[in-house]
Structure formats: C-alpha cells, structure tokens
Amino acid sequence: MTDKFLHPETLAISAGRPQAAPGAGLNTHISLNSTYRAGGEINYGRFGNENWHDLENAISALEEAQSTLVFASGMAAITAVFSLLPHGAPVVASHEGYSGTMSLLKRYHTEGRLEVRFVDITDTKEVISQLQGAAFLWVESPTNPGLNVAEVAVIIGEAKKRNLGVGFDNTFATPLNQKPLTFGADIVMHSVAKYLAGHSDVILGSLSVKDPALHTRLIEARTTLGGVAGPFEVWLGLRGLRTFPLRFNRAQESAAILAKKLAGHPAVKNVRYPGFGAVISFEVGATVEQTEAICDASTLIANATSLGGVETTWERRRRWERESHSVPENLIRLSVGCEHIDDLWNDIDTALTQG
Ligand SMILES: *Cc1c(COP(=O)(O)O)cnc(C)c1O
C-alpha cells in the first residue's frame, strides 16, 4: 500500500517514521550535531539534519508534494522563495495578507528589488489582468486577518497558462481543506508553528514542491540564506503534526458553530468566516479601548497573537503597528482551539458583555 491511498488522519501519524527494524525506535532521536564525519550524507548542520527529513516527509504526504524543506520560520521560507526571483521581477500579490509578508513585499517593491502588483485577491478579473507579463503569483487564501478567499483553482490555472511561477501560503486552510500543488501551484508554504505543529511552542516554516529542480534551488537558498530549523523544534513540530487532523477537525467544527453564535450576538458586527478553517475575524461595536478590554476580559481565551494552537487565543489585530490600515481598529481575530465549545462560548459571551 502506497501513501497515496491513505487518509490524512493516517498519513499524519504514519509518515516520517524511521525505517522499521527490530529494535528501532518509532521516532528518530533528536540529533544535536553541528558537524559530521566526512564521507557521509550530511556534512554540516546548516546543510542537513536527521530530524528534518521526518517532518519534511510527513508534510509532503499531507500536501501531495514530491518533497518539502523545513525552515526556521514561515518568514524564512517566504524569504527563500522570493530570493529565487531576479531583480525587478514583476510579482502579483494580494494587497492584504499576513503582515510579515506584506512588510517584506512592500519593502522589496520600494527598493526596486521586485515590482509588486498588489491586487484584491477576491477580484479574479483584476488578478488575471495583472498576470500579464508577470513572473510570479503569490497567493494567501484565506487571507490573514481579513479572511478573504480567492478563486484558487482559477487564478492558479490562469497563472500557469501564462507561465508564471506560483507560490501559495496554505497556513490558514491547511491541506485538509485545499492542496494548492494539485491545482498547479509550484510551491506551498506553511508557517508550521500554526496548525501543523499546533501547540504554541515552536517557530517553524516549510516549503513543499513537486519539481526536483525547484527543490534543488530552494535547498541552495536555505543553505546560503541560513534560515535553518533547530533539531529540537523540528522534533516537536513532528510530534505536534501527529495530531494535526484531530485538532484541526475539532477546531474547525467549533469555529463554524462559534461564527454563527457570534453573528447573533448584540455586541458583534460583521463576522468574517469563510465557511472553513478555524479562524474567525469579527468587529465589535466598541472603541479601541473597549475592544482591548474585551480581549482582556476572557479568562479561558488568552489575549495573545498568533493562531493554530490547541489553546484558543484572540487579539485586536490593529494593536500591531505593521498591520494593514484597511483592517478595522475594532476587529478581533479569534483562533479557535480544541477546548469544549460550551466553555469557549461562555468565555466569549462573558467577555463581550463585561469588556
Ligand atoms: C504566522 C504566519 C506567517 C509567518 O510565519 P512565521 O512562522 O511566524 O514566520 C506567514 N503566513 C501566515 C498566513 C501566518 O499566519
């Protein structure tokens, strides 16, 4: 039986194990080595590590990729992608998305490093018209924190027709909802720190590809830019990944229910929930200070940034200087975790009322 016929719940558990042999551990030892004796496969800790492959193989199985590379962070992975583009290359990207990606692309654009054509990613016509003469399409869908959804299959298809490279940030949807490589994307990126690892205890990123030549170029980028992941983080990331489908399915189920409840709450307006995933963004009829007070009034939910952990978190996104000014001041981004739904709703309802 090949991996292809296994369900993601099974792949997350079975992929990326050491070779089965009598006496072999079920998990690879944490390999704390910066250097290796000459003549073997790995020579130096920036070139490779025994722990990387297990996590890489497991993510490849979930994304239906040929290969995956882990990085020190999602941003290290994104930096490696854009490092492949020649100076001044025209890139089509959403004008709204993860704030780190937005800052990087804006800086590259200002410096002339790339010519970024910022588009409304939900406006398929606009995206397609901007693809003309471009070299690369970067997609994040749903977007963070606006939860805007692109017509993913259509825009990837149109970009490939025009010979663009396509990179896709699949952090929010995860391979349980969409596998961009199967639509023709060249690179799928994850902030592994979020749902894949899922315990708010590591920073990690990944890039998955189908093309071996692209894989080689990305290895070169990782090695020279140096955004390499620590062995312990990678080991923890894989330990977390074993339960990713369990956690994500539960969080997504709860998010769908909470989105409905929020929409019916008198203190809440404009709930953004794309119908899948476990992040909900909503606005409250409140000032900046009152919105902050709501986030602080919860006892179970942590007022904290980031997302994708077993612990439910929320925050007022505009507390971050670098967040896009198109995001409303009173928008709260809620990352739904795995606690019991009734406990979560009680906490949210109390905070909305008291805050
Ligand atoms: C967190 C995040 C990133 C950046 O990943 P890091 O691991 O924090 O560097 C990129 N894209 C999205 C959608 C994210 O949520």
Side-chain angles (χ1 to χ4, degrees):
M1 191 159 57
T2 66
D3 277 358
K4 221 161 135 192
F5 300 105
L6 297 174
H7 297 87
E9 290 81 355
T10 311
L11 289 172
I13 292 170
S14 63
R17 296 276 180 192
Q19 201 85 50
L26 293 186
N27 301 296
T28 300
H29 295 128
I30 299 175
S31 173
L32 296 170
N33 288 292
S34 66
T35 190
Y36 297 80
R37 293 185 195 280
E41 203 188 314
I42 308 172
N43 288 293
Y44 182 53
R46 186 157 40 77
F47 307 162
N49 173 278
E50 292 89 335
N51 295 110
W52 293 354
H53 300 306
D54 296 341
L55 179 58
E56 290 172 344
N57 291 339
I59 297 174
S60 289
L62 290 168
E63 285 289 1
E64 292 188 36
Q66 192 63 40
S67 62
T68 294
L69 297 179
V70 293
F71 288 78
S73 67
M75 286 311 299
I78 292 171
T79 307
V81 171
F82 289 115
S83 78
L84 300 188
L85 297 175
H87 190 91
V91 172
V92 178
S94 169
H95 62 66
E96 192 247 4
Y98 177 64
S99 56
T101 313
M102 291 291 98
S103 302
L104 188 73
L105 287 178
K106 279 180 196 150
R107 181 155 65 77
Y108 282 170
H109 182 73
T110 308
E111 291 170 349
R113 162 84 186 80
L114 297 172
E115 179 220 310
V116 187
R117 303 172 179 177
F118 292 103
V119 294
D120 174 355
I121 206 73
T122 65
D123 185 342
T124 303
K125 261 197 185 145
E126 186 196 356
V127 175
I128 293 172
S129 78
Q130 290 299 321
L131 294 175
Q132 207 51 48
F136 198 75
L137 168 68
W138 179 259
V139 189
E140 180 185 314
S141 178
T143 58
N144 178 0
L147 301 177
N148 294 315
V149 175
E151 279 191 90
V152 170
V154 175
I155 62 173
I156 293 176
E158 293 294 325
K160 291 319 293 179
K161 258 195 239 164
R162 292 164 178 78
N163 278 325
L164 275 78
V166 177
F168 201 107
D169 183 336
N170 207 24
T171 302
F172 268 45
T174 84
L176 289 180
N177 284 309
Q178 64 191 11
K179 295 176 193 167
L181 293 176
T182 66
F183 296 137
D186 297 287
I187 306 175
V188 166
M189 172 264 158
H190 277 280
S191 171
V192 177
K194 314 292 171 53
Y195 294 107
L196 299 188
H199 292 76
S200 312
D201 53 7
V202 288
I203 297 286
L204 284 171
S206 70
L207 297 175
S208 301
V209 301
K210 289 207 144 166
D211 175 20
L214 183 55
H215 171 85
T216 305
R217 291 179 71 203
L218 287 169
I219 285 196
E220 173 69 13
R222 179 175 67 180
T223 306
T224 52
L225 296 172
V228 294
F232 183 50
E233 282 76 3
V234 169
W235 190 95
L236 270 180
L238 181 59
R239 208 273 277 270
L241 186 85
R242 298 301 185 203
T243 56
F244 150 65
L246 277 175
R247 289 182 283 99
F248 189 79
N249 285 334
R250 169 63 178 270
Q252 182 165 250
E253 259 176 52
S254 296
I257 297 167
L258 289 175
K260 281 212 187 88
K261 284 179 175 281
L262 280 165
H265 197 286
V268 173
K269 42 181 202 175
N270 205 10
V271 176
R272 302 167 195 227
Y273 182 65
F276 63 96
V279 176
I280 304 166
S281 290
F282 60 95
E283 289 152 57
V284 283
T287 62
V288 168
E289 291 72 22
Q290 288 165 338
T291 310
E292 292 284 358
I294 289 168
C295 293
D296 276 333
S298 52
T299 52
L300 190 59
I301 301 174
N303 179 4
T305 196
S306 197
L307 55 110
V310 285
E311 315 83 359
T312 299
T313 59
W314 62 2
E315 69 170 334
R316 188 180 76 85
R317 270 310 290 179
R318 284 290 299 281
R319 75 190 176 98
W320 297 101
E321 189 62 40
R322 68 164 59 189
E323 184 55 273
S324 165
H325 286 205
S326 62
V327 173
E329 287 277 8
N330 57 351
L331 180 139
I332 296 175
R333 188 186 67 189
L334 169 68
S335 167
V336 179
C338 297
E339 301 91 338
H340 194 285
I341 180 102
D342 295 346
D343 297 333
L344 286 177
W345 180 247
N346 284 340
D347 199 38
I348 292 170
D349 186 34
T350 308
L352 284 171
T353 311
Q354 284 178 2

